[in-house]
Amino acid sequence: MPRPPKSILMPAICAGTLLGLAGGYARAAEPAPTPPPANWWDTFTIGGTVEAGVTLNGDNPGDGLNFGHLFTDKANTLLLNQILLTATRPLDPKATDYDFGFKLQGMYGSDARYTHYLGEGDYWINELNQITPVEAWAAAHLPWLFAGGIDVKAGQWVTLEGAEVIDPTGDYLYSHSYIFNFGIPFVDTGVMTIWHVDPLLDIYAGVTSGVNTTFGERNVAHPGFEGGIGLNLLDGNLTILATTHFGPQNPNTPIGIAACGGCDPNSTLRFLNDITATWKINDSWTLITDLNYIHDDGGVQPSGYGGAQYVVYTVNEWLKAVGRVEVWRDNSNFFVAAYPGNFDFVNVEHGFPSTVIPGAGPTTYFEITGGLNISPTIPQGTPLLKSITFRPEVRYDASLNNTTPFDGQTVFGGRGFPGFGVGTKSSQFTFGGDIIAKF
């Protein structure tokens, strides 16, 4: 068949090209389909975390305790630290209109001995592993007054203070700092507000029932204040949170009154203050600085103070190297102690008899800890398991003023009196680690 002459072919090609472009422009002009509105439940999650670990102490202390530790206090003993069950729908951090959220979290394990809300199941189980609520709150975002609005939270939550948290997935090391163990609250009950003044400044202000207590707890539940200021700098790569918690905190029992030198528990204040700065220098390096000061107006007016410096180096997506160095002073031997009995910690908070082991006099505590976070990739198709992390660590504790709080040896009182530990060394070396599985 003969080819058409160019005089016919070229106009046809041009016409076809124009029709194709016109069709393309017509399609481009059609509005994109509107995505369906986000469902409130889209960010609702239910999950679980299991943590177990061991801390080896070559001294094999006679009282069985790693002095200066709480969650890792049992020497040479495998611990089921936590089974956490969590249901949460967090507030949308970018919300510009009204928004609502909540969190319910409960714990079973050996850590629960130290995180009870006084007056809420703290004497249910007299075993190493206990059960306790960790968080139970409802929250609302209100687009009022400030550029970022106001968040209001009511119920029970973990404290604002400190660089470390109860949930192990929020920490870099298995063992905890002296600041975490003895310088801040663990949990609060009350109402908290967060004023998002602008992208650089948040203000926290709330009323609580006291450190680690519920409303109506008869011995130590007095109104307290918890609040502070948060700064978000360098496009969020540097955050600084300065917080305080103060209120009457000494137990209103004969033992509690004697411990605070005959003070009036209803008017004697305790102040717990903390500043935490987190600087993400780049994708590899993160620095965290935690400064702490705690003071009680009762008796000899004891104070505790110090700081901890963390360095986190991200090697790759599954490996981090972590270091922490800390100095913390207990100037009246009031705050740092060991708790051999399952109820000793809550007994002391209530002002009831206990077998608590105090330190060896006023002491300046030093600890340096190095560890790894190893998080191997979970094979595709693995049911339920979301992640697994191994955190081996080496730790050295010492008294900088030559007191001997470590390597406690049990002394038996006889005739019905409980035994107690007497420290024999000025330093302590431990090696340990844990495994954290998230579901």
Side-chain angles (χ1 to χ4, degrees):
M1 182 175 179
R3 293 179 62 188
K6 289 185 178 180
S7 59
I8 296 175
L9 186 62
M10 292 305 296
I13 294 174
C14 292
T17 301
L18 290 172
L19 287 172
L21 290 172
Y25 284 127
R27 286 192 297 272
E30 294 175 0
T34 303
N39 190 298
W40 186 85
W41 289 102
D42 285 348
T43 56
F44 170 73
T45 60
I46 297 178
T49 301
V50 178
E51 179 200 17
V54 64
T55 302
L56 304 177
N57 188 325
D59 292 329
N60 195 26
D63 59 11
L65 299 174
N66 300 312
F67 191 87
H69 298 221
L70 291 186
F71 290 8
T72 51
D73 59 345
K74 300 298 186 182
N76 308 316
T77 303
L78 180 64
L79 297 175
L80 174 61
N81 291 97
Q82 298 185 22
I83 298 176
L84 281 178
L85 297 178
T86 307
T88 183
R89 194 282 177 182
L91 292 178
D92 182 353
K94 298 181 180 179
T96 58
D97 202 349
Y98 293 94
D99 192 29
F100 302 92
F102 67 91
K103 184 174 185 179
L104 298 173
Q105 186 176 70
M107 179 201 297
Y108 173 79
S110 59
D111 292 355
R113 294 169 295 148
Y114 296 110
T115 63
H116 285 295
Y117 292 87
L118 298 187
E120 188 174 326
D122 43 350
Y123 290 111
W124 283 348
I125 301 175
N126 187 10
E127 301 290 343
L128 179 63
N129 295 327
Q130 301 180 12
I131 188 170
T132 186
V134 181
E135 298 198 62
W137 51 259
H141 176 77
L142 310 175
W144 298 350
L145 297 180
F146 305 108
I150 299 175
D151 296 341
V152 180
K153 178 166 64 177
Q156 299 182 317
W157 63 85
V158 296
T159 180
L160 295 172
E161 299 193 58
E164 300 178 8
V165 294
I166 294 172
D167 185 337
T169 62
D171 296 320
Y172 291 106
L173 294 166
Y174 178 39
S175 69
H176 284 283
S177 66
Y178 286 88
I179 292 174
F180 176 86
N181 288 332
F182 307 109
I184 63 173
F186 286 135
V187 289
D188 295 307
T189 302
V191 178
M192 176 61 63
T193 63
I194 308 173
W195 310 347
H196 301 291
V197 178
D198 59 44
L200 299 179
L201 175 63
D202 296 317
I203 297 176
Y204 299 77
V207 177
T208 79
S209 60
V211 171
N212 304 341
T213 67
T214 57
F215 287 118
E217 204 291 315
R218 66 184 184 277
N219 291 329
V220 293
H222 305 287
F225 172 85
E226 183 170 68
I229 295 175
L231 300 176
N232 309 296
L233 309 172
L234 303 181
D235 295 326
N237 290 318
L238 174 60
T239 61
I240 301 173
L241 181 61
T243 52
T244 186
H245 186 293
F246 62 85
Q249 189 54 44
N250 288 286
N252 193 7
T253 66
I255 292 176
I257 293 172
C260 69
C263 69
D264 178 1
N266 295 305
S267 59
T268 301
L269 300 181
R270 184 174 298 175
F271 302 84
L272 303 97
N273 308 286
D274 198 86
I275 299 175
T276 302
T278 302
W279 181 19
K280 182 177 173 56
I281 300 174
N282 52 40
D283 290 341
S284 297
W285 292 97
T286 299
L287 301 179
I288 304 171
T289 303
D290 195 14
L291 303 175
N292 180 257
Y293 175 72
I294 179 173
H295 174 80
D296 193 279
D297 280 342
V300 296
Q301 299 195 0
S303 296
Y305 48 88
Q309 179 63 55
Y310 305 72
V311 178
V312 182
Y313 177 64
T314 301
V315 180
N316 52 42
E317 62 182 9
W318 59 268
L319 179 62
K320 293 182 176 70
V322 186
R324 178 184 64 209
V325 60
E326 177 184 24
V327 175
W328 203 80
R329 171 71 176 174
D330 184 357
N331 74 347
S332 299
N333 197 30
F334 186 83
F335 299 107
V336 180
Y339 301 90
N342 297 324
F343 287 154
D344 276 341
F345 190 79
V346 294
N347 281 342
V348 169
E349 291 185 304
H350 278 289
F352 297 156
S354 73
T355 56
V356 60
I357 301 172
T363 298
T364 301
Y365 294 92
F366 169 83
E367 62 94 2
I368 183 168
T369 307
L372 299 173
N373 289 192
I374 305 169
S375 303
T377 301
I378 302 300
Q380 290 186 353
T382 303
L384 298 178
L385 184 63
K386 294 180 180 179
S387 68
I388 191 166
T389 301
F390 302 92
R391 299 189 301 178
E393 69 168 44
V394 177
R395 173 166 170 160
Y396 174 75
D397 291 74
S399 164
L400 296 184
N401 59 318
N402 296 318
T403 58
T404 58
F406 307 107
D407 191 21
Q409 301 302 309
T410 300
V411 176
F412 294 97
R415 296 185 177 272
F417 291 96
F420 60 95
V422 176
T424 61
K425 292 185 178 180
S426 61
S427 64
Q428 171 179 269
F429 179 84
T430 55
F431 171 79
D434 65 345
I435 180 173
I436 303 170
K438 289 190 67 177
F439 300 91

